[in-house]
Amino acid sequence: PPAHHAPNLLQLLLGICLRFSEAFVVVQTQADYKSLNLARVTYNMPIKHAQVRYFYDIQAWRRELQTVDLVIGARIHGSLMGIYAGRPTLTIANDQRILEMVEQMMLPYNTIYDFENPSRFDLLEHVGKVGAKFDGERFDRNRARIAQAYVRMFDAIHVNVSANVHNIAAGCNKYNLGQHS
């Protein structure tokens, strides 16, 4: 994103942690720690040590996310972990690459441009608006269509696909997938 939007994203995410004591940030890189330190100094937004998590084990990450009401992510992997954990997930698309992925996967999202003033951000109101636009049935149809394409592609080159992907692709029989709406 343009440099002037990165502070908005940081202020938004840390502001959520400051307003909701059970919220936490999952760091994925050393740069994330640097950003947290920047926020502490520049924006006077010190979050508690207990609100910063790092995972070496994907199943531990999933179990931790299963304890929350909502996942908000600015990285696609974090957002997909929320979905994997079965939690409502909102992705903040902060660059074109993430925007294209969330649109293709039909995930609930906003862009960083939707948060010009993070200090006046009302999380519950915002989640309600984004959630109202999400079409779960459309998401399921799209997911089944993509899984079916993977199954066909891997079958053609004789590579086994997991039973889970086959089960998702089987949803193609349930939906009319002739159109991609």
Side-chain angles (χ1 to χ4, degrees):
H4 66 280
H5 285 289
N8 280 358
L9 179 60
L10 186 59
Q11 287 177 308
L12 173 74
L13 295 176
L14 295 183
I16 290 169
C17 287
L18 292 173
R19 281 178 245 152
F20 297 90
S21 62
E22 298 297 315
F24 58 88
V25 173
V26 176
V27 294
Q28 296 179 34
T29 69
Q30 279 289 50
D32 293 343
Y33 285 110
K34 290 178 184 175
S35 294
L36 291 175
N37 287 329
L38 171 73
R40 284 184 178 103
V41 175
T42 307
Y43 308 118
N44 191 29
M45 298 182 88
I47 64 170
K48 299 172 192 156
H49 179 72
Q51 289 180 290
V52 179
R53 314 276 166 83
Y54 183 84
F55 296 97
Y56 294 95
D57 178 288
I58 195 167
Q59 294 306 323
W61 189 1
R62 180 181 183 210
R63 282 189 302 275
E64 187 73 17
L65 292 180
Q66 288 173 326
T67 69
V68 304
D69 296 322
L70 174 70
V71 174
I72 298 176
R75 291 203 175 120
I76 198 69
H77 292 96
S79 292
L80 292 178
M81 280 301 300
I83 292 166
Y84 178 50
R87 307 317 300 158
T89 301
L90 169 64
T91 303
I92 301 170
N94 59 359
D95 64 30
Q96 191 61 35
R97 172 184 55 96
I98 293 173
L99 180 61
E100 289 173 10
M101 285 188 276
V102 294
E103 286 178 340
Q104 179 64 32
M105 290 185 271
M106 298 182 183
L107 301 175
Y109 75 93
N110 274 116
T111 71
I112 190 61
Y113 302 103
D114 296 317
F115 303 101
E116 288 299 321
N117 190 344
S119 65
R120 291 200 315 238
F121 174 69
D122 182 325
L123 177 64
L124 300 178
E125 178 184 324
H126 188 78
V127 168
K129 287 179 184 176
V130 173
K133 293 188 292 186
F134 178 70
D135 183 338
E137 193 166 307
R138 186 172 177 231
F139 169 81
D140 287 342
R141 282 193 313 266
N142 185 58
R143 187 172 181 232
R145 181 189 59 77
I146 292 168
Q148 188 177 58
Y150 275 119
V151 168
R152 279 194 314 267
M153 178 180 67
F154 285 113
D155 280 353
I157 58 173
H158 308 289
V159 173
N160 291 331
V161 176
S162 79
N164 290 338
V165 175
H166 278 284
N167 289 338
I168 294 168
C172 290
N173 298 327
K174 179 179 173 184
Y175 301 108
N176 175 7
L177 297 175
Q179 62 262 51
H180 177 59
S181 57

